[in-house]
Amino acid sequence: MQPLALGLIIPAADPIASLERVQSLGFPTCQLSCAGGRFLTNHTDDELRAAMARTAVEVTTLFLGFDGESYADIPTVERTVGLIPEAQRAARVQIALAMSDRAKAFGFPVLAAHIGFVPDDEDDPTFKAVVAAVQRICDRCNENGQQFALETGQEPALVLHDFIHIVNRENLGVNFDPANMILYGTGDPIEALHVVGHHVIGAHAKDGNWPTEPGTLGTEMPLGEGAVGMPRFIAKLKEVGYTGALTIEREIEGEAQTKDILRGKALLEGLI
Ligand code: MG
């Protein structure tokens, strides 16, 4: 893979159709986004392997989401997302372990997820339980020859940095999403790369504007039209030595999504 090879994050329920779409849009890589463990539900493993060979699209990451998550506003995210909700934690860890095994069958090198809002108090029982859950996922990923990436945004960079050090697993890293830092109001993403840059193993190219009221999320924007500043983001990724894929994420659907993706791709091609 070329340094900063462009990619697209795309649903994994029918990964064959997704790989064909990624290829038709001209991307060499993709992340497959897998909700609730629903991966490859209508095809065989061999059919997916054939599609990977035929399209030559490199799957860089299997990105996990969980049923019951909602990103409606910040209190809802705190209550529902990732490994933070106690009632769902054990079942979600089991999904992550199972998906690590599925990823191994296709040679996907990275598993990623939003783990939710990590508390900044290390004595909080939730903090300790989430550390143990992430250690378990990392250890299974390690057995399967994979890294595990935490999606950024829901906590400030320093909290994320300390969490990674406390989990203390060599194969734990960051999927850096600069827009999320802005959407959640957790800090300037370029400054965050000073703090966690050496942990970055995946990156989303997404843009957004800051929240305007407490408790609400900011607004996702087409690449280049939000507050990230794509030129400084790409320059900073290069400065911290990141050489992985740069994966466009646009959280709308239909023809407008395709238009924004292609415009974003053209913008990034001029910057990398
Ligand atoms: Mg993202």
Side-chain angles (χ1 to χ4, degrees):
M1 187 172 66
Q2 298 280 328
L4 299 181
L6 294 184
L8 186 63
I9 184 166
I10 192 157
D14 185 346
I16 294 173
S18 291
L19 287 177
E20 286 166 354
R21 179 158 183 245
V22 169
Q23 182 194 33
S24 76
L25 294 173
F27 289 92
T29 80
C30 73
Q31 295 187 349
L32 293 175
S33 171
C34 176
R38 287 180 294 281
F39 169 68
L40 198 60
T41 47
N42 292 319
H43 295 279
T44 65
D45 287 14
D46 282 345
E47 285 173 323
L48 175 55
R49 288 193 189 93
M52 289 168 66
R54 185 172 69 244
T55 61
V57 171
E58 183 176 341
V59 178
T60 59
T61 297
L62 187 62
F63 203 109
L64 306 183
F66 303 105
D67 288 336
E69 293 182 326
S70 168
Y71 291 85
D73 53 34
I74 287 177
T76 308
V77 172
E78 284 177 326
R79 204 173 62 246
T80 65
V81 169
L83 302 175
I84 305 301
E86 189 180 359
Q88 282 84 34
R89 189 180 301 128
R92 289 178 177 181
V93 169
Q94 287 306 318
I95 288 172
L97 301 182
M99 294 317 294
S100 171
D101 293 346
R102 291 296 282 137
K104 185 191 180 188
F106 303 98
F108 302 158
V110 177
L111 205 68
H114 273 292
I115 61 163
F117 275 91
V118 174
D120 59 7
D121 174 6
E122 293 171 24
D123 297 321
D124 185 316
T126 299
F127 186 95
K128 292 177 194 294
V130 172
V131 167
V134 172
Q135 286 172 333
R136 247 187 112 193
I137 296 168
C138 286
D139 291 345
R140 178 67 67 90
C141 286
N142 190 45
E143 288 166 26
N144 286 333
Q146 299 152 349
Q147 292 176 291
F148 182 53
L150 307 175
E151 172 87 346
T152 54
Q154 289 156 355
E155 53 284 307
L158 274 173
V159 173
L160 186 64
H161 173 273
D162 290 351
F163 180 80
I164 288 168
H165 282 260
I166 289 166
V167 172
N168 193 26
R169 291 294 187 272
E170 291 251 321
N171 65 331
L172 180 62
V174 165
N175 190 80
F176 193 88
D177 185 324
N180 284 351
M181 309 275 321
I182 289 170
L183 298 178
Y184 288 89
T186 44
D188 179 76
I190 309 310
E191 285 171 26
L193 276 171
H194 282 293
V195 180
V196 297
H198 54 297
H199 294 295
V200 176
I201 57 176
H204 282 169
K206 191 169 87 182
D207 213 340
N209 286 330
W210 296 91
T212 51
E213 285 175 52
T216 64
L217 288 157
T219 308
E220 196 213 347
M221 298 292 290
L223 278 189
E225 295 179 25
V228 169
M230 284 297 144
R232 65 178 195 138
F233 175 52
I234 304 301
K236 191 69 193 177
L237 280 177
K238 290 179 181 174
E239 188 191 314
V240 301
Y242 177 70
T243 58
L246 187 58
T247 303
I248 291 179
E249 181 174 36
R250 181 68 173 120
E251 300 186 271
I252 59 172
E253 290 179 1
E255 278 180 36
Q257 188 203 40
T258 304
K259 194 172 134 221
D260 284 354
I261 287 167
L262 290 174
R263 285 179 58 190
K265 179 169 176 277
L267 171 73
L268 294 177
E269 283 167 345
L271 294 171
I272 59 178

